[in-house]
Amino acid sequence: MIALEDLGAHIASTMTSAVEGHAVRVGELTINARAEQIVAVLTFLRDDPRCRFTSLIDICGVDYPERPKRFDVVYHLLSMQLNHRIRIKIETDEVAPVPSVASLFPCADWFEREAFDMYGILFSNHPDLRRILTDYGFQGYPLRKEFPLSGEVQVRYDPEQERVVYEPVKLTQAYRNFDFVSPWEGITRDLPGDEKAKS
């Protein structure tokens, strides 16, 4: 079995125009690649006899809103023949599309649709880039950091209109007047250790 450091060096030395760096952390090899070269990198990893990464396990996104290229697109590959796993990371922003790898790994079709649906990451030459997990009229991208936890709209059944309606989220919450002195505020009987009960 090729050591992960040697495998990373082999990939970096062969794909010099596409790979920006590699590292082994926590027993896993990570390759940083250029976004426009992702198809060439994955083709090499699939076809090279020292790699044989023939299974695409997952594609996911990571949001770093403070960076100019705020998204990482992360590909996880498995070599069943050599018992290796590898992670390939590329960076992109909200408007620059990443080349689709669906023609290389057909399972990438749904993975890329999920990344588009959750983060708004665009993939060029994708056969059918549309939402896959959210509703047809859904607004925004739920896994972006700025997306509100409550969502933008709420759905409810309106018995007068006899249909489902979408409307802006309204959160009604009665806030307690909590003074942070007693953890038992609201209980009227004496409790052992309650400072307010003694005063």
Side-chain angles (χ1 to χ4, degrees):
M1 186 168 94
I2 302 172
L4 293 178
E5 289 284 356
D6 292 342
L7 182 60
H10 167 65
I11 296 166
S13 64
T14 308
M15 302 290 294
T16 55
S17 62
V19 173
E20 296 176 330
H22 70 281
V24 177
R25 292 193 189 104
V26 198
E28 297 180 0
L29 175 61
T30 301
I31 302 289
N32 294 314
R34 292 182 177 84
E36 64 275 9
Q37 296 291 320
I38 189 62
V39 175
V41 171
L42 295 190
T43 302
F44 171 79
L45 293 175
R46 184 193 64 182
D47 299 339
D48 184 78
R50 291 183 64 184
C51 298
R52 298 184 189 176
F53 291 101
T54 56
S55 298
L56 176 65
I57 299 171
D58 188 25
I59 301 174
C60 58
V62 185
D63 188 11
Y64 299 98
E66 70 280 0
R67 295 189 332 201
K69 291 184 176 182
R70 68 182 288 179
F71 300 117
D72 274 0
V73 182
V74 185
Y75 301 80
H76 294 100
L77 299 174
L78 170 67
S79 172
M80 298 284 284
Q81 293 88 357
L82 302 176
N83 193 24
H84 289 312
R85 292 176 187 268
I86 192 170
R87 175 184 306 117
I88 299 93
K89 293 168 62 174
I90 61 172
E91 293 182 0
T92 189
D93 56 24
E94 299 174 46
V95 295
V98 174
S100 173
V101 297
S103 61
L104 199 60
F105 295 99
C107 63
D109 184 345
W110 284 19
F111 294 150
E112 290 174 348
R113 285 181 61 189
E114 182 179 2
F116 167 71
D117 194 6
M118 296 290 111
Y119 293 96
I121 298 170
L122 301 172
F123 293 90
S124 60
N125 298 322
H126 189 279
D128 185 22
L129 190 62
R130 59 187 165 99
R131 291 188 180 271
I132 190 170
L133 297 175
T134 57
D135 200 2
Y136 293 111
F138 195 86
Q139 298 174 358
Y141 302 100
L143 292 184
R144 286 189 179 184
K145 296 282 175 69
E146 74 270 13
F147 192 83
L149 292 176
S150 60
E152 302 284 356
V153 295
Q154 60 187 8
V155 181
R156 68 175 179 83
Y157 179 77
D158 188 339
E160 293 178 6
Q161 299 181 38
E162 297 182 347
R163 66 179 182 91
V164 173
V165 294
Y166 294 83
E167 55 192 21
V169 173
K170 296 176 192 170
L171 295 177
T172 54
Q173 184 175 3
Y175 294 99
R176 296 188 312 162
N177 184 16
F178 192 76
D179 62 6
F180 300 101
V181 173
S182 171
W184 309 109
E185 186 172 348
I187 298 176
T188 56
R189 62 185 164 90
D190 290 342
L191 296 171
D194 187 359
E195 295 81 10
K196 286 178 64 177
K198 295 175 184 172
S199 61

